[in-house]
Amino acid sequence: MRIAQDFRSDEILRLEHLLEGFNYTAWVNTYGPFDLSRTLEEQLFHSIGNEVIIGGQSCVTASEARSEITEQLLHVGDGGYGPLDLTAKRLEILTLLEALFTYVQLDQASAITSFWLTKGHPAYPVFWDFSFDIQGHGKRWILMGSSSD
């Protein structure tokens, strides 16, 4: 028997729990802080252990990143999939999300890059996914999330 331990923050684990649903799971993770001595691809390879290929990147503002992440985490789905009782959980989800934004220093970032992976994603995105490289004060945080069935 193999025992695996999940070292992600309580906020992330709670977010995932709140977003569980019918034929639907969410995955969120943060990596960092790291210094900026590696490229994003090198840091991803080092952090997730997968050979990664970045499919594209674009610079975004903190407001744009915040909006995209919030919109995707609050994705309601439809009759065949989606989080259960999302309306009742919305306030707690938003509170946890603010804690996550604070942890990765989203609002203090000097540069934020949205990116997507064509190879090596650590989860299995089906309905939505997001990935952000957040840099500030000489450090890098990587914030990723996705949902699947």
Side-chain angles (χ1 to χ4, degrees), residues 72-121:
Q72 291 183 9
L73 286 176
L74 294 176
H75 176 74
V76 297
D78 65 22
Y81 78 96
L84 298 173
D85 235 356
L86 186 61
T87 303
K89 301 172 186 174
R90 182 182 173 89
L91 183 58
E92 186 177 359
I93 290 168
L94 292 173
T95 300
L96 292 167
L97 194 49
E98 280 305 315
L100 190 58
F101 291 152
T102 299
Y103 174 73
V104 298
Q105 299 187 15
L106 183 71
D107 294 322
Q108 291 77 39
S110 56
I112 303 171
T113 304
S114 174
F115 66 93
W116 62 94
L117 299 177
T118 57
K119 181 179 180 182
H121 200 290

Side-chain angles (χ1 to χ4, degrees), residues 19-149:
L19 293 170
E20 288 177 1
F22 176 70
N23 204 29
Y24 186 85
T25 61
W27 170 85
V28 178
N29 206 355
T30 60
Y31 304 94
F34 305 110
D35 63 27
L36 298 173
S37 61
R38 293 182 172 129
T39 67
L40 177 58
E41 272 186 346
E42 290 169 340
Q43 190 60 64
L44 286 165
F45 174 77
H46 177 76
S47 299
I48 62 177
N50 293 347
E51 181 182 347
V52 298
I53 297 175
I54 296 175
Q57 303 179 64
S58 62
C59 293
V60 297
T61 66
S63 177
E64 290 168 328
R66 179 182 287 276
S67 291
E68 181 179 336
I69 294 164
T70 303
E71 178 181 320
Q72 291 183 9
L73 286 176
L74 294 176
H75 176 74
V76 297
D78 65 22
Y81 78 96
L84 298 173
D85 235 356
L86 186 61
T87 303
K89 301 172 186 174
R90 182 182 173 89
L91 183 58
E92 186 177 359
I93 290 168
L94 292 173
T95 300
L96 292 167
L97 194 49
E98 280 305 315
L100 190 58
F101 291 152
T102 299
Y103 174 73
V104 298
Q105 299 187 15
L106 183 71
D107 294 322
Q108 291 77 39
S110 56
I112 303 171
T113 304
S114 174
F115 66 93
W116 62 94
L117 299 177
T118 57
K119 181 179 180 182
H121 200 290
Y124 181 67
V126 173
F127 303 113
W128 55 259
D129 72 306
F130 60 79
S131 301
F132 292 94
D133 178 22
I134 302 162
Q135 298 180 24
H137 307 291
K139 297 290 182 188
R140 159 183 281 143
W141 290 262
I142 299 169
L143 175 59
M144 300 178 78
S146 66
S147 68
S148 63
D149 51 2

